[in-house]
């Protein structure tokens, strides 16, 4: 994953293969020439294939795919408000083919791609300058069928509707319209 004008350095956490997860880190761009900060996810052990969310010092964000070590954009560049010389959060949710990227708690980019379904997480920087990373975290998200969800069964007391989708909340378990429940577990690295 390199650009024509620089070098790509990366660290891959190989402790657990993740499928559906949420990954975040804090990033500090310490100079105007800091280059690109990357959160790698569903990546191979050597980082030569997988996905990357790239953020630069100007707030330009691109979601891309890494194939044979080369980055190719999957999303148009979007811009996020970031601050120099302070910690900015880069957060990626990936469930199934849906990939959402947030910067400082704002959804900046959303794509669908199913090229890679599992892999490791990592961080990386491209080009020159100083980029700080801290509090790298991953939260594993898994879905399982908990009941046969039918529109005519008794609904719990709290629910929300969005279009023709019904999301039910019961005992702090979220269900989608197919009757799947979200469970999570934390992996924290820092």
């Amino acid at each position: 994953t390199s650009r024509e004008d620089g070098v790509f350095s990366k660290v891959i956490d190989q402790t657990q293969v993740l499928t559906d997860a949420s990954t975040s880190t804090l990033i500090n761009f310490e100079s105007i020439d800091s280059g690109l900060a990357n959160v790698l996810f569903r990546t191979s052990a050597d980082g030569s294939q997988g996905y990357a969310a790239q953020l630069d010092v100007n707030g330009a964000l691109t979601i891309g795919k890494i194939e044979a070590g080369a980055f190719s954009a999957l999303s148009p560049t979007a811009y996020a408000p970031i601050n120099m010389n302070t910690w900015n959060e880069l957060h990626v949710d990936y469930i199934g083919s849906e990939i959402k990227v947030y910067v400082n708690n704002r959804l900046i980019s959303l794509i669908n791609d199913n090229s890679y379904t599992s892999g490791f997480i990592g961080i990386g920087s491209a080009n020159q300058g100083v980029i700080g990373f801290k509090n790298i975290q991953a939260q594993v998200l898994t879905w399982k069928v908990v009941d046969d969800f039918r529109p005519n069964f008794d609904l719990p007391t709290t629910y929300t509707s969005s279009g023709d989708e019904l999301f039910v909340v019961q005992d702090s378990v979220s269900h989608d319209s197919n009757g799947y429940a979200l469970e999570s577990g934390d992996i924290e690295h820092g």
Side-chain angles (χ1 to χ4, degrees):
T1 341
S2 63
R3 287 183 25 160
E4 294 175 14
D5 56 348
V7 177
F8 185 73
S9 300
K10 61 190 168 293
V11 176
I12 309 295
D13 178 355
Q14 298 178 27
T15 58
Q16 184 173 0
V17 173
L18 302 171
T19 301
D20 294 338
S22 176
T23 302
S24 65
T25 188
L26 295 177
I27 299 168
N28 186 355
F29 294 100
E30 297 180 13
S31 66
I32 195 69
D33 64 346
S34 288
L36 293 169
N38 291 264
V39 169
L40 307 173
F41 55 101
R42 290 183 177 164
T43 191
S44 60
D46 65 357
S48 66
Q49 65 181 26
Y51 293 107
Q54 293 187 337
L55 181 67
D56 76 10
V57 70
N58 298 310
L61 173 78
T62 306
I63 303 171
K65 181 169 40 174
I66 304 165
E67 293 179 300
F71 179 87
S72 60
L74 294 172
S75 71
T77 300
Y79 288 87
I82 63 166
N83 301 302
M84 290 258 320
N85 296 311
T86 190
W87 294 104
N88 297 279
E89 182 183 27
L90 181 58
H91 179 97
V92 184
D93 288 339
Y94 41 102
I95 298 176
S97 65
E98 185 177 81
I99 300 168
K100 295 180 183 179
V101 179
Y102 300 81
V103 177
N104 295 329
N105 297 316
R106 291 183 64 190
L107 177 61
I108 304 299
S109 190
L110 166 67
I111 68 161
N112 283 286
D113 188 86
N114 61 2
S115 299
Y116 302 105
T117 57
S118 65
F120 300 107
I121 63 169
I123 55 172
S125 62
N127 304 324
Q128 302 174 24
V130 178
I131 301 174
F133 293 88
K134 73 176 185 178
N135 298 339
I136 303 159
Q137 300 177 8
Q139 181 178 28
V140 179
L141 305 174
T142 58
W143 293 92
K144 71 172 187 174
V145 176
V146 293
D147 55 23
D148 186 15
F149 187 80
R150 302 268 187 249
N152 60 355
F153 81 98
D154 293 333
L155 291 175
T157 56
T158 57
Y159 64 93
T160 59
S161 178
S162 172
D164 59 352
E165 295 274 320
L166 179 66
F167 298 91
V168 181
V169 179
Q170 182 178 23
D171 298 327
S172 299
V173 176
S174 297
H175 297 66
D176 71 2
S177 61
N178 296 315
Y180 292 93
L182 179 66
E183 294 181 339
S184 66
D186 290 327
I187 305 169
E188 187 168 328
H189 306 278

